[in-house]
Amino acid sequence: MQEVKPPTFVKLNERGGYRSQHAENYRLGGAVSFRSAYTQVAGNPSDKPGHGWNTLTTAVLEGLNVLDIVTADRIVCQISTDHPPIGYVPTVTFLGTRFENLRIAGHTLKVDLDLNILGDKPKNDGSYTSSRDFIKRTAAQRDRIQSQKNIPTEISSRYNRLPAISAKQGKIECSLVNQSEGGFPGRCFGNALDVPNFGKIFLATLLLEQADFDPSTGSPKKTTITLNMIEMAMGCVGGGDLTGGGGKTNGGTRP
């Protein structure tokens, strides 16, 4: 199996600033191609009163084609964080994140995105996993998946535990996708798609990680957000795993 490194990858250092990288007309044999892609990251002190440090991560894929089965005009991953001048836990937004004309085997896929899945920044610098509303939304996602019949093992095993409210829960996986639907040969399970003779596809998977909890307040000093817009575990027609349109932020209250 061949490991393929990301054609556009940038990482911002602790001093902040801005970096970007572009790629054009990428092709991996006859399996994967895209017309263009770019990744950009920025991190700077905010000039607004009461705000600390802002970070922005953007990854864009245009003209994606995987084996002429999965195609998309444009996929945008965007994560913005606003860290407070006092405290640790950031406000997180995904404004700009979207799928444009995502198609499976030529059929348009309708994707219902919840860009407010994390909700408002928790009060008193609390962790996101201590938010009852956030846990309620993620639990509802998993309930919708688990309530369906004949779920493939690869999907059910990934979403087999309902999240619980916990101030010091280390990490939790959910999705910006509440529902998806389309006329392609296969089935939708929330953000997960089962496409016979192709494989499994996971859309807008979100991983929230919290670490280094303050012993006096219980606040996580580090909150890491990872968003992968499309993941594929392929078989039959083509083999291998593919992830595209991904971004990650792990800034803190100190630049």
Side-chain angles (χ1 to χ4, degrees):
M1 181 177 291
Q2 179 183 3
E3 181 180 356
V4 180
K5 295 183 179 180
T8 61
F9 174 82
V10 289
K11 181 178 180 180
L12 201 63
N13 61 40
E14 294 182 356
R15 293 188 299 275
Y18 173 83
R19 294 189 66 189
S20 67
Q21 193 172 48
H22 294 69
E24 304 286 340
N25 300 317
Y26 176 86
R27 180 173 294 276
L28 178 62
V32 181
S33 66
F34 59 75
R35 184 175 63 256
S36 65
Y38 67 87
T39 302
Q40 58 185 12
V41 291
N44 296 287
S46 175
D47 56 4
K48 297 180 180 179
H51 295 257
W53 295 270
N54 296 330
T55 64
L56 177 65
T57 299
T58 305
V60 178
L61 275 171
E62 296 180 330
L64 175 67
N65 187 323
V66 181
L67 292 170
D68 286 313
I69 295 175
V70 179
T71 61
D73 289 351
R74 203 161 192 256
I75 298 175
V76 181
C77 164
Q78 188 154 274
I79 312 169
S80 176
T81 64
D82 182 355
H83 284 80
I86 299 175
Y88 304 102
V89 180
T91 299
V92 183
T93 60
F94 302 98
L95 187 64
T97 297
R98 62 192 183 274
F99 295 95
E100 295 182 9
N101 195 26
L102 177 61
R103 302 172 74 88
I104 309 295
H107 298 269
T108 299
L109 188 72
K110 295 181 179 179
V111 182
D112 174 27
L113 289 176
D114 181 4
L115 300 184
N116 194 40
I117 185 68
L118 291 180
D120 296 334
K121 169 181 157 61
K123 295 180 179 180
N124 302 317
D125 210 37
S127 64
Y128 276 97
T129 54
S130 66
S131 167
R132 186 174 299 276
D133 289 340
F134 169 57
I135 295 301
K136 183 178 179 180
R137 284 189 290 271
T138 57
Q141 284 186 349
R142 299 193 180 201
D143 275 339
R144 284 193 290 270
I145 293 173
Q146 292 293 344
S147 65
Q148 299 187 57
K149 296 181 179 179
N150 301 319
I151 308 174
T153 302
E154 298 93 329
I155 296 174
S156 62
S157 61
R158 190 163 177 171
Y159 300 105
N160 62 357
R161 292 179 58 190
L162 292 178
I165 297 173
S166 172
K168 293 188 177 182
Q169 185 171 341
K171 63 182 179 179
I172 185 171
E173 180 180 313
C174 57
S175 174
L176 297 187
V177 177
N178 276 330
Q179 294 280 15
S180 57
E181 59 181 42
F184 67 93
R187 295 181 65 193
C188 296
F189 301 88
N191 77 310
L193 315 177
D194 179 25
V195 185
N197 302 314
F198 178 79
K200 308 297 184 293
I201 303 171
F202 298 87
L203 302 176
T205 301
L206 179 67
L207 179 63
L208 166 71
E209 298 176 276
Q210 302 169 130
D212 193 14
F213 291 87
D214 188 303
S216 60
T217 65
S219 299
K221 295 182 181 180
K222 186 174 183 180
T223 300
T224 302
I225 305 290
T226 305
L227 176 60
N228 288 319
M229 290 301 288
I230 189 162
E231 301 175 35
M232 306 180 203
M234 297 183 290
C236 299
V237 174
D241 297 332
L242 182 149
T243 300
K248 183 175 184 177
T249 66
N250 62 347
T253 56
R254 299 293 182 271

